[in-house]
């Protein structure tokens, strides 16, 4: 069997070819396909900044984004519906130190015509042969909105000088849209990109657009001994940070062609790039020459004085300007502004952070560093500058400044004389609500998202569930919601009531978990920081003494791990040395320090993920409360005994009645009929397995074609695990839900080799996957369908899988963000096979599995397909 599979894999590899771009044409369009069109108007540039007419600048520009979706097509005509997705308008006037600003994505912050967003503005029917417009059905297209006046800087001086705060405006959307709609098909080029009217362009589509940017870079992973050279051609619409491998992020602009100097890296381990777009990447990887304000001398100063900060700023600014004028004088104007803004936000954050820590706040106020008209405060525009922000440019940027400013504002509120209870800590809900009132637009979602990110680590997810759902539902920026979703999924296995085994941590195998008394506990602390801080050691010793004095040594097992030198083993007890493998595991999981209190069977009672400090007090308090709870075990026994007896009698009565009314002849016929149906079910699954295996092999083939031998080796191991699971369950009538979930995760991991999409798989906490059994290969075909129709046409996207349980009904939702499905389509082989399987299962077990398949755009403002399976248990 193994030999046959290896031969099949070698055949697929040798017969394959490298990935090539296949242009999409108007003849390729199908129902549900879409493109996004951006129409740009440039205002006269008055404010300092990017004066060139580039469509991604943030000031003195109006950008309107329309979405054109194929809603109908036949042999002769093609119908496209045009909707408004977003309108951004920002301009300033001579003599007024500020901007008039509007962005329809942040609806609650502006007054505008909400009904226009997402509604059809235009329906155009095209002739498929000539590609000309046949009919054009225009709706009411006047869009009215109110632009808010935003002064320069973080805080405005002299607000009364400019009493007007809003400016009413309106736009005839058809004038922006019709010229582009008329040329959409006639201007379609052979390379696959439609050429539109002046100041309009395609920025996204449900299918792959022709590459406009390329790069070659080497040694992109942490293992520098592996020459992982990557060459890619991609399409981007705006300047972007593009992650390459594990340790490289490139700053790309449309039209860039970047090549890494591989020889220089081999000799110096310094990254240097050549070609168009190289300057912004060279300054990024040279940033440490002038960006490190936290030198050893600065760190040793306690407290740091305003004069020392001023001197550090002068040195930093001087080095930065020399670098721009000498080494990076050809830097693209957009990226120049990005790095200049990053410097200003860094200095502003630095001032706020040290001011809030200072004991002599008067000295800081008198120094002028906290002057809101200082360059690092007055030269920035936080509501607009997220267009010029980078997340990783050294010590800190725009994001860190906003977070520091939100903390500063909360402290400022507490300094009010009307606030008596100044020491009371805000609850998670209060912090979240306060940030929502402090900010507007992108800064609001950034700071509330950061607050939720922190609260997830300090509180259980159930405590902030309402705020989390509110944020996911209301935030229009997927980069922020996806970050929060990843954190949620990362922490979900550590929730109260979960078992430490579900977390996947290697340390769980060393804890000697047993099924025993629920009054025995394990207190676990893991830290991947180098060295053992003295406070942690002292807290551990105090905790040990407390357990001894309270007589709890026999029921609380301390498991404390940190990174320290082996010769210190005797000096740092009760800590143990954490292995390098476990440190790497914590790094991959995004965990720094972990504190978990659990029962001796691994059931989690409490967890904490913040900072590096081991603080046992909350855990010890929980242990005392748990020991004092009422012992209900005997009552539970009596209740279970009564229910067990009644249940046994009821089952016996049913069996007796059934046996009485059934004759032996009917039993024989029923056995034969069921045997035939089981054989039919097995035949369906035997066809599904090769269908599934071929898709997985194709994913690995794709990786081998890119000469990534090490990754291919790792994923072949995953593939073999997947294959063993499929073969092991193919003969079974029912399989544990946990096996089906693991099989899905392995499959999606393999599919991610072909397409850089993201997925999330969440299981409600009231579900016990090991205790629930379902028919094997039941969910798989729908997930394959989501990859095939939702991910593959665009090469990216997101798949969401949710499992919930209510009233003994297991609900499985499979959601993608692709173009959706055609209602008249019959589906692929997997879907048809599953439909047949549903009928057989209903006949065999008298269990009807419910299924609904619908397009998300019918009920939501996004496209995609939503499949829901309902399985009675």
């Amino acid at each position: 069997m193994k030999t046959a599979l290896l031969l099949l894999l070698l055949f697929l590899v040798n017969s394959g070819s490298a990935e090539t771009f296949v242009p999409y044409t108007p003849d390729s369009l199908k129902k549900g396909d879409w493109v996004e069109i951006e129409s740009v108007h440039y205002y006269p540039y008055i404010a300092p900044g990017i004066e060139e007419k580039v469509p991604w600048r943030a000031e003195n520009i109006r950008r309107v984004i329309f979405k054109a979706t194929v809603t109908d097509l036949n042999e002769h005509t093609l119908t496209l519906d045009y909707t408004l997705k977003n309108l951004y308008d920002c301009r300033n006037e001579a003599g007024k130190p500020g901007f008039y600003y509007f962005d329809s994505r942040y609806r609650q912050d502006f007054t505008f015509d909400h009904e226009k967003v997402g509604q059809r503005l235009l329906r155009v029917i095209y002739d498929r042969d000539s590609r000309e417009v046949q009919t054009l059905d225009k709706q009411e297209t006047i869009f009215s909105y109110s632009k808010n006046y935003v002064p320069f800087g973080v805080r405005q001086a002299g607000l009364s000088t400019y009493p007007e705060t809003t400016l009413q405006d309106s736009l005839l959307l058809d004038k922006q849209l019709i010229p582009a709609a008329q040329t959409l098909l006639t201007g379609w080029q052979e390379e696959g990109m439609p050429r539109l009217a002046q100041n309009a362009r395609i920025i996204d589509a449900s299918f792959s657009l022709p590459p406009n940017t390329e790069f070659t870079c080497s040694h992109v992973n942490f293992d520098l001994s592996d020459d992982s050279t990557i060459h890619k051609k991609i399409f981007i619409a705006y300047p972007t940070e593009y992650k390459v491998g594990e340790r490289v992020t490139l700053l790309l602009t449309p039209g860039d062609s970047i090549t890494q100097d591989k020889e220089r890296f081999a000799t110096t381990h310094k990254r240097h790039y050549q070609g168009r777009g190289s300057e912004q990447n060279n300054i990024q990887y040279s940033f440490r020459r002038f960006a490190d304000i936290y030198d050893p001398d600065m760190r040793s100063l306690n407290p740091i004085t305003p004069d020392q900060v001023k001197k550090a700023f002068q040195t930093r600014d001087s080095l930065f300007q020399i670098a721009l004028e000498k080494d990076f004088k050809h830097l693209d104007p957009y990226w120049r502004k990005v790095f200049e803004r990053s410097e200003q936000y860094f200095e502003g954050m630095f001032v706020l952070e040290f001011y809030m820590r200072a004991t002599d706040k008067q000295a800081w106020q008198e120094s002028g560093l906290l002057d809101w008209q200082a360059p690092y405060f007055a030269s920035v525009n936080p509501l607009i500058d997220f267009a010029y922000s980078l997340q990783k440019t050294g010590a800190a940027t725009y994001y860190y400044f906003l977070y520091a400013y939100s903390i500063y504002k909360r402290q400022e509120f507490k300094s009010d004389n009307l606030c008596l209870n100044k020491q009371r800590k805000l609850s998670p809900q209060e912090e979240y609500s306060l940030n929502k009132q402090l900010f507007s637009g992108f800064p609001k979602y950034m700071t509330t998202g950061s607050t939720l990110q922190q609260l997830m680590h300090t509180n259980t997810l159930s405590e902030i569930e309402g705020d989390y759902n509110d944020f996911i539902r209301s935030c229009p920026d997927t980069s922020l919601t996806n970050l929060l979703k990843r954190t949620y999924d990362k922490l979900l296995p550590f929730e109260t009531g979960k078992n430490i085994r579900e977390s996947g941590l290697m340390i769980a195998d060393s804890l000697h978990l047993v099924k025993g008394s629920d009054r025995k506990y394990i207190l676990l602390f893991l830290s991947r920081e180098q060295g053992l801080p003295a406070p942690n050691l002292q807290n551990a010793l105090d905790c040990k003494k407390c357990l001894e004095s309270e007589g709890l040594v026999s029921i609380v097992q301390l498991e404390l791990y940190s990174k320290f030198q082996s010769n210190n083993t005797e000096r740092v007890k009760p800590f143990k040395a954490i292995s390098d493998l476990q440190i790497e595991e914590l790094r991959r999981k995004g965990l720094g320090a972990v504190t978990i209190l659990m029962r001796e069977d691994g059931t989690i009672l409490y967890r904490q993920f913040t900072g590096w400090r081991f603080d046992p007090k909350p855990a010890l308090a929980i242990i005392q409360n748990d020991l004092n709870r009422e012992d209900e075990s005997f009552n539970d026994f009596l209740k279970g005994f009564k229910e067990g007896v009644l249940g046994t009698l009821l089952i016996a009565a049913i069996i007796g009645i059934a046996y009485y009314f059934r004759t032996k002849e009917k039993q024989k016929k029923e056995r034969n009929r069921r045997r035939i149906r089981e054989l039919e079910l097995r035949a369906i699954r035997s066809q599904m397995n090769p269908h599934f295996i071929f898709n997985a092999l194709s994913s690995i083939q794709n990786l081998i074609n890119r000469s990534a031998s090490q990754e291919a080796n790792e994923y072949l191991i995953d593939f073999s695990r997947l294959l063993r699971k499929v073969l092991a369950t193919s003969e079974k009538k029912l399989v544990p839900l946990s096996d089906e979930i693991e099989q899905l995760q392995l499959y999606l991991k393999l599919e991610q080799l072909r397409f850089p999409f993201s997925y999330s798989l969440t299981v409600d906490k009231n579900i016990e996957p090991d205790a629930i059994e379902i028919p094997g290969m039941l969910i798989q075909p729908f997930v394959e369908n989501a990859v095939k129709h939702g991910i593959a046409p665009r090469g990216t996207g997101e798949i969401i899988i949710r499992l919930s349980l209510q009233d003994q009904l297991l609900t499985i939702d499979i959601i993608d963000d692709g173009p959706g499905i055609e209602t008249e389509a019959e589906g692929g082989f997997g879907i048809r096979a599953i439909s047949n399987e549903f009928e057989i299962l209903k006949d065999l077990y008298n269990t009807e599995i419910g299924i609904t398949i619908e397009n998300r755009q019918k009920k939501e403002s996004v496209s995609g397909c939503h499949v829901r399976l309902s399985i009675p248990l």
Side-chain angles (χ1 to χ4, degrees):
M1 182 65 180
K2 293 181 180 178
T3 304
L5 287 173
L6 287 174
L7 289 173
L8 174 60
L9 181 59
L10 288 172
F11 170 76
L12 290 172
V13 171
N14 292 329
S15 62
S17 58
E19 290 185 63
T20 57
F21 174 75
V22 179
Y24 215 72
T25 69
D27 294 332
S28 307
L29 289 170
K30 59 184 182 297
K31 193 172 181 180
D33 274 347
W34 54 265
V35 295
E36 287 184 1
I37 302 169
E38 181 183 67
S39 175
V40 175
H41 171 72
Y42 301 96
Y43 296 112
Y45 212 99
I46 298 170
I50 303 175
E51 298 184 5
E52 289 83 353
K53 289 188 174 183
V54 293
W56 45 80
R57 79 185 193 192
E59 305 94 344
N60 288 303
I61 192 171
R62 183 183 65 221
R63 294 198 303 268
V64 189
I65 299 177
F66 301 100
K67 186 173 184 179
T69 306
V70 179
T71 54
D72 192 23
L73 77 165
N74 55 47
E75 185 179 352
H76 304 291
T77 62
L78 175 72
T79 303
L80 287 174
D81 281 357
Y82 291 82
T83 57
L84 174 65
K85 183 176 181 181
N86 182 53
L87 191 152
Y88 173 90
D89 193 338
C90 180
R91 70 178 179 88
N92 71 309
E93 297 178 357
K96 291 186 177 181
F99 292 102
Y100 287 103
Y101 165 68
F102 171 80
D103 192 334
S104 66
R105 287 176 299 177
Y106 308 109
R107 303 186 177 191
Q108 66 279 11
D109 299 322
F110 299 95
T111 302
F112 70 102
D113 188 354
H114 289 225
E115 295 182 0
K116 290 288 188 294
V117 178
Q119 298 299 312
R120 191 183 81 203
L121 304 172
L122 196 66
R123 170 166 287 176
V124 183
I125 300 177
Y126 300 86
D127 181 84
R128 297 194 71 174
D129 292 331
S130 67
R131 301 183 181 176
E132 298 282 352
V133 174
Q134 272 193 357
T135 61
L136 191 150
D137 179 16
K138 181 178 70 172
Q139 304 294 318
E140 177 62 46
T141 60
I142 297 178
F143 185 85
S144 299
Y145 56 101
S146 177
K147 286 185 280 192
N148 290 2
Y149 183 73
V150 182
F152 294 154
V154 178
R155 290 188 173 185
Q156 183 186 10
L159 179 62
S160 59
T161 309
Y162 304 98
E164 71 272 30
T165 57
T166 61
L167 178 67
Q168 299 302 317
D169 209 339
S170 62
L171 182 66
L172 290 173
L173 296 175
D174 58 333
K175 287 188 176 181
Q176 312 292 319
L177 180 55
I178 290 177
Q182 289 174 330
T183 59
L184 180 62
L185 298 190
T186 57
W188 206 297
Q189 305 296 301
E190 290 184 0
E191 75 270 17
M193 174 64 79
R195 304 295 182 207
L196 304 180
Q198 188 178 10
N199 291 336
R201 65 191 184 119
I202 302 293
I203 61 171
D204 198 5
S206 59
F207 46 86
S208 298
L209 294 171
N212 61 358
T213 306
E214 65 177 314
F215 60 84
T216 303
C217 59
S218 306
H219 300 286
V220 300
N221 296 318
F222 286 107
D223 183 6
L224 297 182
S225 63
D226 178 23
D227 178 14
S228 51
T229 299
I230 291 178
H231 174 76
K232 274 193 175 183
K233 294 182 178 182
I234 60 173
F235 172 84
I236 57 175
Y238 305 99
T240 185
E241 295 175 80
Y242 191 90
K243 187 169 178 60
V244 186
E246 297 172 319
R247 66 192 307 267
V248 176
T249 299
L250 291 180
L251 308 180
L252 300 177
T253 316
D256 282 350
S257 180
I258 302 172
T259 304
Q260 182 186 348
D261 188 335
K262 186 175 176 181
E263 293 183 3
R264 182 181 297 194
F265 185 84
T267 56
T268 66
H269 270 202
K270 293 182 178 178
R271 296 190 176 276
H272 186 79
Y273 296 89
Q274 299 167 333
R276 180 175 178 179
S278 59
E279 289 286 81
Q280 67 259 22
N281 291 286
N282 289 333
I283 191 174
Q284 177 187 206
Y285 286 104
S286 300
F287 210 72
R288 302 305 296 175
R289 294 189 308 170
F290 50 87
D292 195 358
I293 201 169
Y294 297 108
D295 56 65
D297 292 335
M298 293 286 285
R299 287 187 178 185
S300 64
L301 298 172
N302 189 18
I304 190 170
T305 67
D307 288 340
Q308 291 162 341
V309 172
K310 286 181 179 180
K311 184 178 179 180
F313 281 177
Q314 290 172 356
T315 303
R316 180 185 178 95
D317 292 340
S318 176
L319 292 172
F320 181 71
Q321 291 303 321
I322 291 172
L324 289 183
E325 294 170 9
K326 180 182 176 182
D327 298 334
F328 307 106
K329 56 187 175 182
H330 301 299
L331 186 65
D332 180 275
Y334 172 85
W335 293 109
R336 183 184 182 95
K337 187 163 185 176
V338 165
F339 285 103
E340 288 174 344
R341 281 287 190 266
S342 294
E343 281 294 287
Q344 290 161 341
Y345 280 112
F346 173 82
E347 293 183 4
M349 180 278 300
F350 198 85
V351 168
L352 287 177
E353 180 182 336
F354 277 89
Y355 168 75
M356 288 186 289
R357 294 181 184 178
T359 54
D360 186 3
K361 295 193 183 316
Q362 185 66 27
W364 278 78
Q365 291 171 348
E366 293 175 355
S367 70
L369 284 170
L370 203 62
D371 179 8
W372 295 104
Q373 303 311 307
Y376 40 81
F377 291 134
S379 301
V380 297
N381 301 281
L383 272 170
I384 300 165
D385 282 344
F386 68 92
Y388 303 112
S389 62
L390 287 178
Q391 297 187 37
K392 298 177 182 177
T393 58
T397 59
Y398 169 81
Y399 297 89
Y400 292 89
F401 170 82
L402 287 180
Y403 186 63
Y405 187 72
S406 70
I407 298 174
Y408 169 81
K409 287 293 292 183
R410 291 201 291 269
Q411 287 192 5
E412 193 177 58
F413 274 121
K414 282 197 169 187
S415 68
D416 196 301
N417 287 334
L418 293 175
C419 179
L420 296 178
N421 195 359
K422 300 179 188 296
Q423 303 304 317
R424 186 178 73 84
K425 186 178 179 182
L426 294 177
S427 70
Q429 288 71 24
E430 287 171 331
E431 284 200 35
Y432 181 78
S433 299
L434 187 55
N435 275 347
K436 287 173 69 175
Q437 303 304 317
L438 288 176
F439 301 102
S440 297
F442 179 85
K444 174 170 65 177
Y445 292 105
M446 187 270 146
T447 53
T448 52
S450 296
T451 300
L452 284 176
Q453 188 94 347
Q454 183 184 27
L455 295 174
M456 282 182 175
H457 289 79
T458 57
N459 301 269
T460 62
L461 299 181
S462 58
E463 289 180 86
I464 60 168
E465 191 79 28
D467 292 330
Y468 170 80
N469 291 330
D470 172 69
F471 182 86
I472 297 300
R473 182 173 55 253
S474 62
C475 178
D477 193 304
T478 55
S479 66
L480 297 178
T481 55
N482 288 341
L483 177 64
L484 216 60
K485 288 177 181 178
R486 287 194 293 270
T487 302
Y488 186 96
D489 293 340
K490 176 183 74 177
L491 300 182
L492 188 59
F494 300 96
E495 276 293 274
T496 301
K498 298 277 188 179
N499 196 286
I500 189 68
R501 295 186 184 93
E502 301 173 32
S503 69
L505 289 177
M506 288 187 290
I507 196 68
D509 297 330
S510 307
L511 295 179
H512 309 296
L513 304 176
V514 294
K515 289 185 177 180
S517 168
D518 63 354
R519 304 301 175 100
K520 289 189 176 182
Y521 313 89
I522 300 173
L523 181 54
L524 171 69
F525 175 76
L526 298 174
S527 174
R528 61 183 176 95
E529 297 296 325
Q530 296 291 331
L532 180 61
N536 280 7
L537 180 57
Q538 186 60 53
N539 287 347
L541 294 173
D542 291 345
C543 178
K544 192 173 181 181
K545 288 180 181 179
C546 178
L547 294 176
E548 291 171 352
S549 64
E550 297 290 335
L552 301 177
V553 174
S554 61
I555 64 172
V556 180
Q557 174 186 340
L558 279 181
E559 294 285 345
L560 312 178
Y561 295 84
S562 188
K563 180 67 176 177
F564 48 82
Q565 295 180 351
S566 57
N567 59 336
N568 288 329
T569 303
E570 292 300 320
R571 298 172 56 194
V572 299
K573 286 183 177 180
F575 277 90
K576 305 172 188 175
I578 192 172
S579 70
D580 291 336
L581 282 175
Q582 290 170 331
I583 289 177
E584 176 61 20
E585 178 188 52
L586 291 175
R587 185 194 65 77
R588 282 189 289 103
K589 290 179 177 291
L591 301 173
V594 179
T595 302
I596 301 176
L597 173 66
M598 68 195 87
R599 301 193 190 280
E600 66 176 347
D601 65 352
T603 302
I604 296 173
L605 300 177
Y606 164 82
R607 52 78 164 169
Q608 182 71 264
F609 292 100
T610 57
W612 50 267
R613 188 175 180 182
F614 170 57
D615 182 8
K617 292 179 181 177
L620 293 176
I622 290 173
I623 290 173
Q624 290 291 355
N625 290 335
D626 197 59
L627 289 172
N628 293 332
R629 65 185 166 88
E630 182 182 354
D631 190 351
E632 299 177 352
S633 58
F634 184 69
N635 294 333
D636 291 341
F637 169 76
L638 291 177
K639 181 180 178 181
F641 178 76
K642 291 177 181 178
E643 291 178 352
V645 170
L646 291 175
T648 303
L649 292 174
L650 181 61
I651 292 171
I654 293 173
I655 292 174
I657 293 170
Y659 182 78
Y660 179 81
F661 287 102
R662 289 183 180 179
T663 64
K664 292 183 179 180
E665 185 63 26
K666 287 184 178 181
Q667 289 177 346
K668 182 178 180 181
K669 288 182 179 180
E670 179 63 15
R671 282 196 301 270
N672 290 339
R673 186 187 66 81
R674 292 173 67 88
R675 181 60 179 166
I676 292 171
R677 298 300 271 169
E678 288 174 356
L679 290 173
E680 291 174 353
L681 182 61
R682 187 174 297 177
I684 290 174
R685 290 179 179 169
S686 69
Q687 296 176 65
M688 290 172 66
N689 290 343
H691 173 71
F692 167 75
I693 292 169
F694 178 81
N695 282 347
L697 282 171
S698 297
S699 300
I700 301 175
Q701 175 201 4
N702 206 8
L703 185 63
I704 296 176
N705 284 342
R706 298 203 303 265
S707 301
S709 56
Q710 182 176 350
E711 290 176 302
N713 214 14
E714 294 173 0
Y715 282 97
L716 273 172
I717 295 173
D718 287 336
F719 171 71
S720 65
R721 288 177 58 200
L722 185 58
L723 189 58
R724 282 197 298 269
K725 279 200 162 292
V726 172
L727 294 175
T729 59
S730 62
E731 295 294 316
K732 296 180 180 179
K733 297 177 183 178
L734 299 172
V735 298
L737 180 59
S738 56
D739 286 357
E740 188 80 357
I741 290 172
E742 183 180 356
Q743 188 170 304
L744 285 175
Q745 290 174 324
L746 286 169
Y747 167 75
L748 287 166
K749 184 178 179 183
L750 289 170
E751 284 293 349
Q752 282 180 324
L753 300 179
R754 297 195 298 163
F755 312 113
F757 69 94
S758 62
Y759 77 89
S760 63
L761 196 157
T762 58
V763 182
D764 277 5
K765 59 184 178 182
N766 62 335
I767 294 179
E768 296 182 13
D770 290 329
I772 295 175
E773 291 188 328
I774 65 172
M777 295 289 288
L778 185 66
I779 311 172
Q780 185 78 32
F782 298 100
V783 177
E784 289 187 28
N785 229 38
V787 173
K788 180 179 178 182
H789 299 293
I791 301 299
R794 298 175 298 155
T796 186
E798 182 180 23
I799 294 176
I800 300 171
I801 304 171
R802 291 196 299 260
L803 284 77
S804 57
L805 180 64
Q806 187 174 7
D807 298 331
Q808 293 302 302
L809 185 68
L810 177 64
T811 302
I812 304 167
D813 292 289
I814 303 107
I815 304 168
D816 65 65
D817 60 353
I821 61 170
E822 297 180 22
T823 54
E824 54 269 23
E826 294 181 0
F829 164 78
I831 303 299
R832 295 196 304 271
I834 280 291
S835 299
N836 293 337
E837 182 176 352
F838 283 1
E839 292 299 321
I840 295 173
L841 290 170
K842 178 181 178 181
D843 191 28
L844 282 174
Y845 306 116
N846 196 26
T847 298
E848 187 164 0
I849 299 176
I851 175 173
T852 60
I853 304 176
E854 61 181 7
N855 286 325
R856 297 175 67 186
Q857 47 265 43
K858 288 184 177 180
K859 298 180 180 179
E860 303 176 53
S861 60
V862 296
S863 63
C865 181
H866 183 175
V867 177
R868 169 167 289 182
L869 303 178
S870 302
I871 307 173
L873 299 180

